[in-house]
Amino acid sequence: MSKVFSALAVSVDGDITGRDPGAGRGLGDGGTLFVVSHPPAPEISDRQNLVTTGIEDAIAAARETAGDKDVAFMGGGVVTEALKAGLVDEVVLHQVPVLLGEGRPFFWALPEQVRLRLVEAVPAPGVTHLHYEIQR
């Protein structure tokens, strides 16, 4: 595991994702996953919490669980919604150079007021870790 992943593993406790049957596979022994979905999400486990009332409520619940630790997002849809709501301070992306055919964008349409400032780029075998600060 890279130094970046190791540092994130100890600094994050609450994770937020959109509706995805495989969500939370990388949680390891700890961590609580909050699944944001209006329709019921399939295969919810005892470590996953369904939130049907929106991204703001999911973030509030994750913050309560995380205590002094950070809250993380898995998936461009929930990140985009949190950015629109002004509830993100920084973005850490792990870019893996894999060609997936046509692919799809990670983020949905970002609001114009969101500007990212690159703080750090850390190359590692098979991945580049990009740390951005949100500028408002």
Side-chain angles (χ1 to χ4, degrees):
M1 183 183 291
S2 76
K3 291 179 185 178
V4 172
F5 285 135
S6 296
L8 287 173
V10 297
S11 69
V12 172
D13 191 12
D15 291 292
I16 300 170
T17 187
R19 185 173 164 234
D20 176 5
R25 287 188 193 151
L27 285 175
D29 291 334
T32 302
L33 184 70
F34 295 87
V35 180
V36 181
S37 178
H38 292 290
E43 302 174 27
I44 292 289
S45 76
D46 60 342
R47 289 181 33 212
Q48 297 173 327
N49 299 283
L50 180 63
V51 179
T52 60
T53 53
I55 193 70
E56 292 89 351
D57 289 341
I59 291 170
R63 281 183 176 160
E64 186 175 323
T65 297
D68 292 340
K69 293 188 174 187
D70 293 329
V71 171
F73 299 92
M74 295 187 286
V78 291
V79 173
T80 302
E81 292 305 308
L83 285 166
K84 286 180 183 177
L87 298 172
V88 178
D89 297 321
E90 62 185 9
V91 174
V92 178
L93 297 174
H94 312 288
Q95 184 178 28
V96 179
V98 177
L99 297 177
L100 300 172
E102 292 181 20
R104 64 180 189 193
F106 181 74
F107 294 109
W108 297 349
L110 291 176
E112 286 184 31
Q113 71 269 21
V114 173
R115 300 280 187 265
L116 302 177
R117 183 182 73 79
L118 182 63
V119 174
E120 182 179 33
V122 179
V127 62
T128 300
H129 306 285
L130 302 168
H131 180 186
Y132 294 94
E133 179 181 83
I134 304 298
Q135 295 185 314
R136 294 181 172 87

